[in-house]
């Protein structure tokens, strides 16, 4: 604070409160809709204040799902989403750590060639090469499997770059000391590099978990068996199945559940999240 | 790039890069090559015979008014999303810089939409603007405006822009806050002593100093609007009404999955890849320049 100008301070708070309202209003409306019964959700105007059906709707959605007898229960979709997000996040971090280690600490033929090959993955988002990739996965017989949903997404140029940056800042003396003490490469990796990059691993985990949880187009193409549906896909199917008269209270309950885990991860690891976002530059 | 002290040659480094390289080769390079090859083919309706036609698919695309329309729409859409998301985020970041108490609370409340999946964001907004039930549609109705994004293309576009902007504010906000906080305080204090008020200081000191961040965010926002908004559009409008919200990435998917015109879809993929590569190069040149500072 440079000078005391009450007017500007009040203006700043007002603008921020307005910003928060703008950002939070859709989420509030979602929450409110999830707490009412079906009948109330067909009367205009819709409620702005929560009702008392929250746990009834929660139970219905979690155990029975939305859209009739054959609907996938949301707990199963949540479990699928969680598994997919964890596999993608852990997979990305693991293979990026290994390849960054190789590129920074070893001299070997084609080192730069490999580096550039990884770099190229940065340029090709999955949406762009969606059908050819789908065909490869289909040819490999990986449709309707957790491997098919995750492995094509786990190559990560950003993560490799970030770990490379981190490793380059680690003093050379570390390696010299480790070698004097007789540590081999993998021992050095496990006992020195991993502990030193712990905060970066956590930061990256937050970003990659959200990325994995929010995947939509890819699982939509890869899975046709309802047992593999993720909750993010499930919402769209509910919107579609109920084109005529959507069960908004149940759909919004599912939406609430679908955004809960990533929001919890972001808010509980806020510092890590901001660090991960601003340091990897996406 | 390489450590001065490093391990000698052995088989180990190859094993270490093997997983990453295998995934890259199988799921990135090979499909990208396939897309390139397929974009030069024409397949008949039943997929029985294919013909090599060189750049026919590309020529067709650039004389196809639907494709050119999608190009224009994508430009309009990404421009609208980038300017709105960056404008709102910049105002909020400048305001956060002014206050002392509550910074953490405001930041916490502002960043959560980042975590919401695009398709979920789409579901929220389509619910609020549902022509018969939605709370905003109702509010607009009471003041005499008949909202129906299912029939009106302009309204459909407005809605997807709103949903896409809402999701992106958080990201821009965090980067603007970081950029503004990295400006040395003595610069601002000196200007204040010279009698420059808060608004003048913002325009003459803060704004010019954060232009590199703005440029970086502009590229990121355009990439976001180009590729990450598929879920939003798929949930809200399915590209409709009458293609009013059909952007490039949606059209690639639609032509491949619904219209089953694989050659054209592949050619569109190739064009999108070229766009991403250009944007990535631009972004990296910026990052390199920043490193030199």
């Amino acid at each position: 604070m440079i000078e005391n100008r009450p007017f500007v301070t009040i203006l700043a708070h007002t603008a921020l409160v307005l910003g928060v309202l703008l950002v939070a209003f859709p989420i509030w409306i979602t929450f409110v809709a999830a707490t009412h019964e079906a009948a109330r959700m067909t009367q205009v105007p819709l409620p702005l204040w929560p009702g008392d059906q929250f746990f009834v709707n929660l139970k219905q959605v979690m155990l029975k799902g939305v859209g009739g007898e054959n609907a996938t229960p949301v707990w199963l979709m949540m479990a699928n989403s969680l598994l997919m997000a964890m596999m993608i996040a852990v997979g990305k971090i693991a293979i990026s750590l290994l390849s960054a280690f190789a590129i920074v600490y070893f001299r070997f033929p084609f080192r730069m060639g490999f580096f550039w090959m990884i770099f190229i993955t940065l340029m090709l988002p999955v949406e762009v090469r969606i059908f050819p990739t789908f065909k490869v996965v289909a040819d490999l017989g990986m449709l309707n499997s957790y491997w098919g949903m995750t492995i094509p997404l786990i190559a990560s140029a950003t993560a490799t770059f970030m770990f490379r940056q981190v490793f380059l800042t680690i003093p050379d003396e570390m390696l010299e000391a480790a070698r004097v003490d007789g540590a081999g490469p993998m021992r050095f990796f496990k006992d020195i590099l991993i502990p030193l990059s712990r905060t970066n691993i956590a930061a990256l985990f937050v970003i990659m978990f959200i990325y994995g949880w929010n995947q939509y187009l890819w699982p939509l193409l890869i899975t046709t068996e309802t047992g593999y549906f993720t909750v993010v896909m499930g919402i769209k199917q509910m919107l579609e199945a109920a084109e005529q008269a959507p069960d908004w209270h149940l759909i919004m309950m599912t939406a609430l559940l679908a955004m809960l885990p990533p929001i919890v991860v972001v808010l509980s690891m806020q510092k890590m999240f901001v660090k991960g976002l601003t340091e990897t530059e996406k | 790039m390489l450590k001065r002290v490093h391990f000698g040659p052995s088989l180990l480094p190859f094993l270490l890069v093997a997983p990453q390289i295998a995934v890259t080769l199988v799921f990135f390079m090979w499909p990208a090559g396939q897309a390139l090859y397929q974009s030069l083919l024409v397949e008949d309706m039943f997929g029985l015979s294919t013909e090599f036609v060189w750049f026919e698919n590309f020529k067709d695309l650039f004389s196809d008014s639907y494709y050119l329309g999608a190009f224009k729409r994508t430009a309009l859409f990404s421009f609208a999303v980038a300017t709105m998301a960056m404008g709102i985020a910049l105002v909020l970041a400048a305001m956060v810089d002014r206050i002392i108490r509550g910074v953490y609370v405001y930041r916490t409340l502002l960043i959560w939409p980042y975590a919401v999946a695009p398709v979920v964001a789409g579901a929220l907004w389509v619910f609020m603007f549902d022509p018969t039930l939605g709370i905003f549609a109702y509010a607009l109705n009471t003041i005499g405006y008949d909202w129906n994004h299912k029939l009106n293309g302009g309204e459909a576009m407005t809605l997807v822009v709103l949903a896409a902007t809402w999701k992106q504010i958080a990201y821009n906000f965090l980067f603007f806050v970081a950029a503004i906080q990295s400006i040395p305080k003595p610069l601002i204090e000196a200007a204040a002593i010279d009698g420059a008020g808060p608004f003048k200081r913002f325009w003459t000191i803060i704004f010019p100093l954060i232009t590199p961040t703005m440029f970086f965010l502009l590229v990121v926002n355009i990439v976001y609007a180009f590729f990450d908004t598929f879920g939003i559009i798929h949930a809200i409008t399915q590209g409709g009404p009458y293609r009013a919200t059909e952007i490039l990435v949606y059209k690639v998917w639609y032509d491949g999955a619904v219209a089953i015109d694989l050659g054209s879809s592949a050619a569109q993929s190739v064009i999108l890849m070229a766009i991403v590569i250009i944007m990535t190069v631009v972004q990296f040149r910026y990052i390199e320049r920043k490193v030199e500072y």
Side-chain angles (χ1 to χ4, degrees):
Chain A
M1 184 55 112
I2 288 145
E3 80 272 78
N4 187 18
R5 288 182 190 241
F7 172 71
V8 180
T9 308
I10 290 168
L11 184 78
H13 280 285
T14 316
L16 284 168
V17 170
L18 280 177
V20 168
L21 286 179
L22 173 81
V23 161
F25 189 70
I27 295 175
W28 172 251
I29 289 293
T30 310
F31 171 68
V32 170
T35 59
H36 284 274
E37 53 181 4
R40 181 65 189 87
M41 293 310 289
T42 55
Q43 290 162 18
V44 179
L46 292 180
L48 281 170
W49 203 249
D52 55 3
Q53 300 290 305
F54 183 82
F55 290 102
V56 179
N57 292 341
L58 182 66
K59 201 175 147 199
Q60 159 85 21
V61 161
M62 272 303 215
L63 301 179
K64 295 211 184 94
V66 182
E69 288 295 298
N70 301 321
T72 319
V74 171
W75 73 263
L76 180 63
M77 294 200 241
M78 299 272 287
N80 283 337
S81 285
L82 183 68
L83 189 63
M84 180 174 79
M86 291 301 286
M87 280 170 80
I88 290 176
V90 173
K92 267 183 191 270
I93 289 170
I95 69 172
S96 303
L97 270 172
L98 291 176
S99 41
F101 175 50
I103 284 167
V104 174
Y105 280 98
F106 290 88
R107 165 169 293 169
F108 59 106
F110 312 117
R111 198 173 62 94
M112 287 313 283
F114 288 137
F115 182 73
W116 283 107
M117 203 186 279
I118 295 166
F119 179 79
I120 283 172
T121 63
L122 188 70
M123 299 180 176
L124 302 172
V126 72
E127 283 79 6
V128 168
R129 54 189 166 82
I130 191 95
F131 288 105
T133 316
F134 171 76
K135 199 164 168 291
V136 169
V137 173
D139 290 345
L140 292 173
M142 285 162 63
L143 297 181
N144 282 314
S145 74
Y146 293 113
W147 301 116
M149 284 157 78
T150 52
I151 290 179
L153 302 177
I154 64 172
S156 178
T158 23
T160 312
F161 273 116
M162 199 184 90
F163 287 127
R164 175 182 156 256
Q165 283 328 102
V166 174
F167 292 166
L168 286 176
T169 61
I170 292 173
D172 287 347
E173 287 74 12
M174 289 280 191
L175 177 56
E176 280 166 0
R179 282 173 120 186
V180 169
D181 290 347
M186 288 324 282
R187 183 75 194 267
F188 173 70
F189 179 67
K190 186 165 87 47
D191 287 345
I192 295 182
L193 287 187
I194 301 250
L196 282 175
S197 32
R198 190 168 284 157
T199 54
N200 295 78
I201 292 175
L204 206 61
F205 178 80
V206 180
I207 304 288
M208 294 309 174
F209 180 84
I210 295 169
Y211 167 85
W213 181 275
N214 288 348
Q215 278 306 312
Y216 172 60
L217 184 54
W218 184 246
L220 189 70
L221 279 176
I222 291 298
T223 61
T224 48
E225 281 169 27
T226 51
Y228 288 105
F229 283 3
T230 66
V231 67
V232 169
M233 285 165 65
I235 299 235
K236 169 68 179 131
Q237 259 132 1
M238 290 172 198
L239 284 177
E240 231 163 53
E243 190 63 49
Q244 297 314 314
D247 289 323
W248 281 117
H249 59 303
L250 300 180
I251 298 178
M252 287 297 121
M253 175 56 90
T254 314
L256 207 59
L257 290 169
M259 55 192 177
L260 199 63
I263 287 182
V264 167
V265 169
V266 163
L267 294 188
S268 63
M269 295 173 78
Q270 202 181 130
K271 230 181 219 157
M272 287 290 125
F273 166 67
V274 174
K275 181 181 158 72
L277 205 59
T278 45
E279 280 182 16
T280 56
E281 317 234 280
K282 192 158 190 183
Chain B
M1 182 72 216
L2 181 72
K3 287 276 183 182
R4 188 173 48 79
V5 189
H6 50 78
F7 294 106
S10 68
L11 200 59
L12 186 63
F14 290 101
L15 293 177
L16 292 173
V17 291
Q20 176 102 303
I21 293 298
V23 172
T24 307
L25 277 178
V26 175
F27 298 108
F28 288 75
M29 306 298 263
W30 176 241
Q34 287 275 308
L36 268 174
Y37 177 63
Q38 187 125 50
S39 70
L40 306 177
L41 299 178
V42 167
E43 213 166 293
D44 73 10
M45 271 170 63
F46 309 104
L48 295 176
S49 66
T50 48
E51 198 189 336
F52 193 79
V53 292
W54 286 108
F55 298 105
E56 202 74 24
N57 285 322
F58 292 93
K59 264 189 226 152
D60 287 351
L61 276 179
F62 284 107
S63 55
D64 177 3
S65 62
Y66 288 136
Y67 188 69
L68 296 176
F71 234 110
K72 267 186 225 144
R73 266 191 297 281
T74 312
L76 175 76
F77 173 72
S78 46
F79 176 77
V81 171
T83 43
M84 275 176 58
M86 285 171 67
I88 296 171
L90 180 58
V91 170
L92 293 175
M95 294 302 161
V96 155
D97 192 49
R98 288 288 316 168
I99 62 171
I100 303 167
R101 246 173 255 160
V103 174
Y104 189 77
V105 176
Y106 283 124
R107 194 178 77 175
T108 306
L109 291 173
L110 283 170
I111 61 175
W112 22 323
Y114 177 84
V116 177
V119 65
V120 176
L124 304 192
W125 284 82
V126 82
F127 171 59
M128 291 193 296
F129 279 91
D130 186 80
T132 49
L133 280 172
I135 202 120
F136 280 118
Y138 174 79
L140 286 169
N141 225 330
T142 53
I143 58 165
Y145 187 88
D146 187 20
W147 173 276
N148 193 342
H149 66 265
K150 289 180 183 167
L151 297 175
N152 182 320
E155 287 169 6
M157 185 51 115
T158 311
L159 187 53
V160 290
V161 167
L162 282 176
T165 303
W166 176 74
K167 228 191 93 52
Q168 191 64 5
I169 290 174
Y171 184 90
N172 295 342
F173 172 76
L174 287 173
F175 274 87
F176 278 135
V177 169
I180 291 176
Q181 280 174 353
S182 70
I183 295 172
K185 282 282 168 283
L187 279 180
I188 313 234
E189 281 158 13
I193 290 166
D194 288 348
F199 293 99
K200 179 140 198 198
R201 289 201 302 269
F202 180 79
W203 284 113
T204 54
I205 299 175
I206 297 177
F207 193 79
L209 283 175
I210 59 171
T211 43
T213 304
M214 293 184 79
F215 183 67
F216 163 76
L217 283 177
L218 186 67
V219 177
V220 171
N221 277 271
I222 290 175
V223 172
Y224 160 79
F226 260 68
F227 302 109
D228 293 345
T229 49
F230 175 86
I232 293 177
I233 288 175
H234 200 207
I236 297 184
T237 63
Q238 288 94 51
Y242 312 115
R243 296 172 185 261
T245 51
E246 189 180 67
I247 63 167
L248 291 171
V249 69
Y250 194 84
K251 194 168 161 55
V252 170
W253 175 81
Y254 184 87
D255 286 353
V258 184
I260 321 275
D261 185 352
L262 291 179
S264 173
S265 176
Q268 293 177 37
S269 286
V270 171
I271 293 170
L272 279 182
M273 280 187 230
I275 294 174
V276 186
I277 288 171
I278 292 167
M279 287 202 227
T280 316
V281 169
V282 168
Q283 190 178 328
F284 267 81
R285 290 196 64 167
Y286 152 73
I287 290 172
E288 263 167 30
R289 218 181 57 207
K290 193 180 69 175
V291 171
E292 275 171 29
Y293 278 171

